[in-house]
Amino acid sequence: MKQNHPYFRRRTPEEILHEITESSRGKLKLYVGAAPGVGKSYKMLQDASDLKKEGKDVVIGFIETHGRIETEEQIKDLEQVPIKIIPYKGKKFYELNVEAIIERKPDLVIVDELAHANIPGSENPKRYMDVSLILDAGIDVFSAVNIQHLESVNDIVQQITGVKVRERVPDTFVQKAYEIQLIDIPPETLRKRLSDGKIYAPEKIEQSLSHFFTINNLSALRELSLREIANDVDERIEQISGSLENGPIGVNEKILVCVQYGPTAEKLIRRGWRMAHRMKAELYILNVTAEKRSDSSPVNEQKIKEWQMLAEQFNATIILEEKRSRKPAAVIIEVAKKLNVTQILLGQSARTRWEEIKKGSIVNMIMRETSNIDIHIVADGR
């Protein structure tokens, strides 16, 4: 039968194989909140109990109740797979038992604290990697995470709260969820729950109320959560309704993020990914250096490793270019033209005022030598 759709094409064998693989994979449902104590674990357990009543084989892989009575009551008669005990530095640590869950082969497993970093000696360094193995085994997973643990909003959260979140989950993993549910309560209600001792132990309440759990922080994190979930809903509607009706989106957009060894490089990469993700664009990360890679200092080498880790998470391509006798702007222009880049991101401190007087503005040089490229200057935020 002939297709009239202007963008119809026959699927490749690789795409068909990918569809088959995805269909046999378990489904991930995420419960997302603006902060601890909003009720993610409670709702997750409640939904799991309802499914058990409907005949589903449901087990708990790992749940963190934090001593909350309402959450503990929701566990009720749900089966719990024995957790794994790992000794480390003379202490015992309790981690998700991936092997036991896969061997048990339930329909659904509950795995709390998705952003958790596993103790050394575990099979994977991060819990979301454990969850990925469980999904690969064809087992559905319910999991919970707070918005501040999402990799791409890390800089925004630090700016809001003053706290640098160490445990983070890649956005690309979160996007694999078949459903994301926002668990939302007003900041005033959350602060009352905290005051009533329903979130943390008594000795932590006053400090939490005056630091992380301020009205301003909670309101900003709530707004961030609502915005992120709204973007996710928009993308899912677009996929379901067939966004190709109006032609491919962002098919020619390519974003080039230019980073130096300073403290703002990761912020630039995250900002670039957020732009690329919304524009359905390809993402490239460029570092222009005056030295040979073999002469890089240990500090710079560590920076490059951090960029490579982010690039892997964001499906980006990292490019390391030696400046040699060229000006940095000339290298950026050369790479941008070669890749047919449409957007360039630069840090505000890409060149000091004195350097601009002596050597000229990088932005002006790029604008003179290129056409149809938008240039974005990202503030340092310091």
Side-chain angles (χ1 to χ4, degrees), residues 22 36 192 252 262 269:
E22 285 299 306
K192 187 176 187 309
N252 294 317
I269 294 170

Side-chain angles (χ1 to χ4, degrees), residues 152 300 302 356 369:
S152 69
N300 287 351
Q302 181 57 36
E356 285 191 2
E369 299 295 328

Side-chain angles (χ1 to χ4, degrees), residues 69-83:
I69 297 169
E70 304 100 319
T71 305
E72 289 175 352
E73 285 178 352
Q74 279 297 328
I75 293 175
K76 294 177 182 174
D77 32 300
L78 285 174
E79 178 189 339
Q80 297 191 54
V81 176
I83 55 179

Side-chain angles (χ1 to χ4, degrees), residues 248-260:
I249 296 175
V251 71
N252 294 317
E253 291 286 351
K254 293 182 180 180
I255 296 174
L256 180 67
V257 178
C258 303
V259 295
Q260 297 176 303

Side-chain angles (χ1 to χ4, degrees), residues 185-199:
I185 63 173
E188 295 79 7
T189 306
L190 187 56
R191 279 173 59 85
K192 187 176 187 309
R193 282 178 54 80
L194 179 60
S195 298
D196 292 344
K198 294 181 178 179
I199 298 177

Side-chain angles (χ1 to χ4, degrees), residues 24 49 72 83 97 107-108 133 148 160 170 179 186 208 266 268 287 314-315 317 326 332 349 360:
S24 63
S49 295
E72 289 175 352
I83 55 179
N97 196 332
D107 296 325
L108 169 69
L133 291 176
Q148 65 262 33
I160 292 169
E179 183 180 347
S208 298
E266 290 187 9
L268 277 170
N287 171 243
F314 294 150
N315 292 325
T317 302
R326 300 170 294 175
I332 295 170
S349 57

Side-chain angles (χ1 to χ4, degrees), residues 138-149:
I139 300 167
D140 293 347
V141 177
F142 281 3
S143 193
V145 68
N146 288 319
I147 195 68
Q148 65 262 33
H149 295 289

